[in-house]
Amino acid sequence: MLLFLLLVRLFGLTNGGGVDMDPSANNSIILIENANMSQQYSYSVNSTSIYMFKYHYRHSEMPAGAVRVYVESQDSLSSRPVLVVVRHEKGVLSWQLPLLVQASLDSGKTQIKEQYRSVNRTLCPVDDYDKFRTHREISPDLQYITISVSTSSTYDTDFKLIVYVQEDYQVEMNETREFDVTPSAPQYFQFKFPDDMSIAIISMDSPDNLCMTMSVQNISCPVSDLEQNVELEGIWQTVDRKTGMTIRRDLFPSGLHIVFVVKPDDHDCTSSSSYLNMQRNSVSTACHGPCRFKKVKFTISEKITYEEYLTATFGAFAMFLGAYVIVILVSCLICVRKRRIPHERSLFDVPPPQPVSRSRSRYGSISSCSTISSLSGQIPADSKQDAVEVNQETVPDAKEDGDHEVNKVNGHPPEDVANSSEEREEIEVCETVDGIENEGVDEPEGEQMETVEPDVSVFDEADYDLLRDADFDKDVFRTKTFLFVSDLSRKHPSVLQRKAMMYQWNLLTVSIFYGLPVVQLVVTYQQVLHQTGNEDLCYYNFLCAHPFGLLSDFNHVFSNLGYVMLGGLFMVFVWRRDFIYQGIVDENPRIARMYGIPQHSGLFYAMGLALVMEGLMSGCYHICPNHSNFQFDTAFMYTIAILCMLKIYQFRHPDINANAYTAFGVLAFVILIGMLGVTNSSIPFWIFFTGCHVITCLVVSIQVYYMGRWKANAGIFKRIWLMMYNDCCSLFMGAWHALKPTYPDRMVLLIIFNLINWGLSVYGIMVMAQNEGDFASFLLGVFIINLLLYTAFYILMKIRYGERICRQPLTYILLASLCWAPAMYFFLNKSTSWNMAAAQSRHYNQSCRLFHFYDNHDIWHFLSAAALFLSFMVLLTIDDDLTEKPRDKIPVF
């Protein structure tokens, strides 16, 4: 008995928070033998007495239960606490009353100690102490528990003690447990995997918003079930109302303890802004301290079978692989059909001689006459010699660089034009000669073709000022009232193609340097999660997160497969289209200079590569999604939006489209702004962003309206003033035409563009800034809205100018719309939100919806990948109706 008294003193000094007991006191031990389970004992203790209670029970009588000890002392003082020591066969558990738990106020800036004057704790079963020992001892059926209660206070301190059996200690599959838990009364339960199960999920719900820690620990003793040590073992989460936790047999082979501990404050479960409005917990005698009772309900259920896992993963892969199979089959069918069906003559084939109009084209950049680029094998040699060349265009020099534009002066070719026979065959013939007419070509009925004889006396250079400089001065042909594509495609096609190809090479370089550190970072995040067990690091949908190897959330990584496969498929389409076009150009070289929209595939390749990188970066982000790495998921979304807008602009403005270096410089600035907005979304930042947004809109508007023919220098304000002054003077003189813009179509587009963007800026600073909204998503929304606006404008202008939408792009538009509509539904019904605290993000957690494997966000990945691919195909085929149309008849808008 003296030895036991010494143990009591020893553990009292160690676990009593440094309380010093008076060594001179003559303590008397009050022993209560054969104490009864579930019976309440009420006594008073002081420095002169120690109460000892001895319990015994048979382990066979409670195979699924555990012993809990409840001690209460309303009179206890923190300066002289009541010390409780619980000793059983293989361990000791001790605590003090009042129990001191550290809490935070003012967003964690102030630390206080909350006092709880009742404690209720579970004793770890004796059998669980030997779970990891090589040689396990069989514990006797009769178990003993000894509890001592003492204090160093000289005043009598009342206390109550109850020892009872927790009958529902062990949890089975699909069983629901409901209980109450407080900071001083933690709860934990034991679970062992059935023999035929390797993975399960714990689903927890609570009607209260009180912050709590849920921990899963290996079956070992003692169990870490207090606020100060619960996060040191196993895996854990902070929870308030809802969560899920995946448990795996390979991590917990002997079973596990599920521990629930309520925190003394809600700082860890709330964002900083919401926590500032929270008050300190009210203290009540009925609560034995701060009132933080939390009701908890949880269920353990089987997560997914191995067969379902394989079906979901290979099913998604087969779905996108099917797109490749369909493309191959359709291509083969087209090839077979082309071999069996005779090829129909088109504009690019050798045409019959056409009547020549004496009047020139209205805007005259390129003559609309037919060519004889492929007549060398069909026209007799003597007929070629007799061909009269009256109206001709110069052929660009093969050594032409990017700054040398094509000279298209009619009637007087420059001296540097090569005189080889091959080039002479490509010179346009606007006269029909008898030698060609009579070589078996029939004239249309009812119409006699007119042969124009050249009158040399008419062409006198002294009578006309040819203004040759007008063909070289960009300010002349780019500021015409009405432009055609021929006016903005004067550079050599090879020069523009090299310029366009710089986009994909720059993007590939950026992707490598950007992607490798991203992979290293997110893998490190995942390793830290496994080492610390802190699942608050990653914002998963814990109700639908399926692990695989190192990855805790494999399904959200794997569902990005669609971006990668469809991005690659789009590049295959671009390559095939480019290959066919180059074959046609090789047979008819003038096609690349005179017909259709200029075909430059560099931006299309960059778009496909950006879609592939979006899939890879989104997969990296979903390895451990959180506030710090969300930019990995959005960086290539910005890239896709910018590249698509540049491509639409390039269709009819190839000579003045932005180069790759400028575009990626702007992209770098956009990503910088996005990073600043995520890290510091304050009111001053929103003001700065709004200013940048409005100024950027104005600069882009001026650049587009004047086709780049303006200068931002010291004289810009003077020029603006003179323009406004002259217009006002014209209005006062009754010249109302001064109100009409020079370029009405561009003006309409730019007015709508600015109004929408100014509205977005107002919404951002008035709503998003006030509510600390998600800036990264807002910035992405700005780009997406502008892209949709520009695409709709382009399609409407095509219709306005009498151009048609072919069946193929129209089909892509309909299919893309059918994909975008449900995709946006699943995107808005999100399952996580990194803009909140981890516990608040779990409010959005949802169960799996597809194959018991994919949730709403996974379905968004699938549908948005298909929608982006179809949208890219719209841009790839939108101008197929202009393939055989001369460029001097294709308007610029």
Side-chain angles (χ1 to χ4, degrees), residues 89-90 126-127 130 133-140:
E89 182 179 347
K90 295 183 179 180
V126 174
D127 290 343
D130 298 327
R133 295 182 182 178
T134 306
H135 302 285
R136 295 184 55 184
E137 299 179 0
I138 299 178
S139 301

Side-chain angles (χ1 to χ4, degrees), residues 571-760:
M571 288 191 285
V572 171
F573 270 109
V574 175
W575 174 84
R576 179 180 178 275
R577 191 181 185 90
D578 192 43
F579 179 79
I580 295 173
Y581 180 76
Q582 289 301 323
I584 297 175
V585 170
D586 291 340
E587 296 178 359
N588 305 273
R590 292 183 66 82
I591 293 174
R593 304 293 300 273
M594 299 182 63
Y595 294 98
I597 297 297
Q599 301 293 316
H600 305 132
S601 55
L603 269 170
F604 280 132
Y605 281 119
M607 290 162 56
L609 178 59
L611 186 58
V612 172
M613 290 305 302
E614 169 58 28
L616 296 177
M617 291 297 99
S618 180
C620 290
Y621 163 72
H622 283 92
I623 291 177
C624 184
N626 56 47
H627 183 274
S628 301
N629 58 16
F630 182 65
Q631 60 178 341
F632 303 157
D633 193 23
T634 56
F636 283 89
M637 293 183 184
Y638 303 145
T639 305
I640 289 173
I642 291 175
L643 291 177
C644 288
M645 287 187 282
L646 286 173
K647 187 58 192 178
I648 296 174
Y649 189 75
Q650 188 193 49
F651 285 151
R652 308 197 183 216
H653 310 78
D655 283 0
I656 60 175
N657 197 38
N659 59 49
Y661 304 107
T662 302
F664 282 99
V666 172
L667 178 63
F669 180 74
V670 169
I671 294 178
L672 174 63
I673 292 293
M675 182 271 295
L676 294 176
V678 170
T679 56
N680 182 24
S681 185
S682 59
I683 297 296
F685 169 80
W686 277 96
I687 296 174
F688 167 75
F689 169 75
T690 303
C692 291
H693 187 190
V694 173
I695 293 173
T696 301
C697 291
L698 293 176
V699 172
V700 171
S701 299
I702 297 173
Q703 181 74 14
V704 171
Y705 189 77
Y706 290 106
M707 296 292 180
R709 309 315 300 163
W710 68 286
K711 295 180 180 180
N713 52 25
I716 188 171
F717 298 104
K718 181 179 179 180
R719 294 194 297 270
I720 294 175
W721 164 252
L722 291 176
M723 181 184 66
M724 296 177 62
Y725 175 79
N726 293 331
D727 288 345
C728 291
C729 291
S730 300
L731 291 175
F732 288 140
M733 297 174 63
W736 296 103
H737 66 274
L739 294 176
K740 181 180 179 180
T742 307
Y743 313 107
D745 293 336
R746 278 180 252 167
M747 179 60 70
V748 171
L749 167 66
L750 294 174
I751 289 176
I752 298 175
F753 164 76
N754 281 276
L755 289 177
I756 291 178
N757 279 275
W758 293 350
L760 290 172

Side-chain angles (χ1 to χ4, degrees), residues 784-797:
I784 296 300
I785 290 173
N786 281 277
L787 174 59
L788 293 176
L789 173 66
Y790 196 16
T791 304
F793 170 81
Y794 190 85
I795 294 175
L796 291 176
M797 293 302 292

Side-chain angles (χ1 to χ4, degrees), residues 1 3 14 81 179 287 348 434 466 470 524 527 563 569 593 652 745 802 815 847 861:
M1 192 61 65
L3 178 60
T14 302
F179 54 93
C287 299
F348 303 138
D434 295 337
L466 298 180
T524 302
Q527 291 174 343
Y563 297 112
L569 181 60
R593 304 293 300 273
R652 308 197 183 216
D745 293 336
L815 292 177
S847 300
H861 285 163

Side-chain angles (χ1 to χ4, degrees), residues 128-174:
D128 294 342
Y129 278 85
D130 298 327
K131 287 293 182 182
F132 296 98
R133 295 182 182 178
T134 306
H135 302 285
R136 295 184 55 184
E137 299 179 0
I138 299 178
S139 301
D141 185 43
L142 186 62
Q143 301 288 327
Y144 292 91
I145 300 175
T146 303
I147 302 175
S148 66
V149 180
S150 62
T151 182
S152 60
S153 175
T154 57
Y155 301 98
D156 289 342
T157 304
D158 296 335
F159 72 92
K160 297 178 182 178
L161 171 66
I162 303 176
V163 178
Y164 63 96
V165 177
Q166 179 185 348
E167 300 290 348
D168 57 356
Y169 173 69
Q170 292 186 0
V171 183
E172 301 295 335
M173 289 293 301
N174 300 317

